[in-house]
Amino acid sequence: MSPTTYKPSQQTKNSIIQKAIDLFNEHGTAAVSLNALAEALGISTGNLQYHYRSKEEIIRAILEIMFNDWNAVYQEMDTKSFTMDTLRRTLRINFGLVWKYRFFYRELNALLRNDKILAKRYAAIQEQRLAEQEMLTRQMIMSRGVQSTSKLLRNMVLAGWVLSNSWLSYVESTGRAIDETVMDDAVEILVQFYKPYLEKLS
C-alpha cells in the first residue's frame, strides 16, 4: 500500500506512545532510539516514522496526553466541599501522574533545552496551570471566608508547583531508589506545606 493511500491507525499511534513512555521511564529518553522503539513494538522503523518522524515528535505528543490527564484532575475538583482529606487525595492523583510520566520530570530541563517547540508549548501549559491552580485555591479560601493576598496565593501555588516538578530530581540526588513510595512522601510534605494556609478547611 502506498504512503498516499495509507491512513495512520490511532491504535498504532497509541501503542507507540505507550511503549515510548514505558521505555523512556525505564531507560531514559537518550538511551531509546527510534530503531529500539520500533523493535520493541514489532514494527519497522519506517512504519514508526510514518506516525512520528522523530523522538521529539513523540515526546511532544506525550506532553499533550499529560496535559489532558491533568485536565481531568482539575475538572473533578469540587472547591466548595474541599477538605484536607480532599487535598490529600488530589495530591495523590497528582503525584500518580508524576510517576506515570516520570521520565519527563526527571529529564525536564534537558528536554526543554533540546527542543524549542516543546519548551514553548510547556511554558504555555505551565502558565495556564499556575493560573488555574491560583484560581481554584482562591475559590477554596474565599468560600470559607479566609482572606489572602494575591501575592501570597501566587507564591503558595508556585512553591507547590516547583516541588511537584522537581521532586524526583531531588530524590535521585540523595541516592535514594526511585519507586512509588517516594510519591507518598511528596504528598505528605505538600499537605504539611498547605495546611497553615488551608487549616480552616479541616
Side-chain angles (χ1 to χ4, degrees), residues 67-80:
F67 180 65
N68 289 333
D69 282 353
W70 293 119
N71 271 343
V73 176
Y74 291 116
Q75 289 170 359
E76 292 176 5
M77 288 180 63
D78 181 1
T79 57
K80 293 182 179 180

Side-chain angles (χ1 to χ4, degrees), residues 63 67 118-131:
L63 175 61
F67 180 65
L118 182 74
K120 183 177 180 180
R121 178 60 175 147
Y122 179 82
I125 290 174
Q126 180 171 246
E127 283 306 306
Q128 179 180 340
R129 283 289 177 250
L130 287 170

Side-chain angles (χ1 to χ4, degrees), residues 91-105:
L91 288 173
R92 283 175 179 158
I93 295 171
N94 177 82
F95 280 100
L97 291 176
V98 171
W99 177 254
K100 180 178 179 180
Y101 302 106
R102 56 193 176 274
F103 81 89
F104 194 90
Y105 294 93

Side-chain angles (χ1 to χ4, degrees), residues 15-179:
S15 297
I16 292 170
I17 292 298
Q18 186 54 60
K19 181 59 70 174
I21 292 171
D22 293 343
L23 293 177
F24 292 164
N25 281 340
E26 184 176 358
H27 303 292
T29 58
V32 181
S33 65
L34 288 182
N35 288 341
L37 178 55
E39 182 178 356
L41 286 160
I43 62 177
S44 69
T45 303
N47 190 6
L48 171 59
Q49 288 184 297
Y50 185 85
H51 297 278
Y52 297 103
R53 291 174 295 178
S54 66
K55 190 158 49 175
E56 287 75 19
E57 282 194 1
I58 294 173
I59 295 171
R60 292 172 203 157
I62 292 172
L63 175 61
E64 297 302 326
I65 294 171
M66 289 170 54
F67 180 65
N68 289 333
D69 282 353
W70 293 119
N71 271 343
V73 176
Y74 291 116
Q75 289 170 359
E76 292 176 5
M77 288 180 63
D78 181 1
T79 57
K80 293 182 179 180
S81 60
F82 205 87
T83 66
M84 293 305 296
D85 286 338
T86 307
L87 173 64
R88 183 175 276 104
R89 288 195 300 271
T90 301
L91 288 173
R92 283 175 179 158
I93 295 171
N94 177 82
F95 280 100
L97 291 176
V98 171
W99 177 254
K100 180 178 179 180
Y101 302 106
R102 56 193 176 274
F103 81 89
F104 194 90
Y105 294 93
R106 296 167 80 175
E107 303 180 38
L108 178 61
N109 291 332
L111 292 174
L112 299 183
R113 280 196 306 269
N114 293 335
D115 186 347
K116 292 182 179 179
I117 296 174
L118 182 74
K120 183 177 180 180
R121 178 60 175 147
Y122 179 82
I125 290 174
Q126 180 171 246
E127 283 306 306
Q128 179 180 340
R129 283 289 177 250
L130 287 170
E132 289 170 347
Q133 289 186 16
E134 187 175 346
M135 179 186 68
L136 288 169
T137 305
R138 180 179 288 107
Q139 289 174 350
M140 287 188 295
I141 291 176
M142 291 180 64
S143 68
R144 286 155 182 81
V146 182
Q147 298 299 316
S148 182
T149 66
S150 294
K151 184 175 182 180
L152 177 60
L153 275 175
R154 179 72 175 184
N155 288 344
M156 180 177 67
V157 168
L158 184 59
W161 178 269
V162 171
L163 187 144
S164 297
N165 282 270
S166 62
W167 178 247
L168 285 176
S169 296
Y170 163 73
V171 173
E172 283 194 311
S173 74
T174 68
R176 181 178 172 184
I178 298 294
D179 55 34

Side-chain angles (χ1 to χ4, degrees), residues 174-190:
T174 68
R176 181 178 172 184
I178 298 294
D179 55 34
E180 291 186 78
T181 63
V182 304
M183 301 292 99
D184 295 333
D185 292 344
V187 168
E188 294 309 315
I189 289 171
L190 273 181

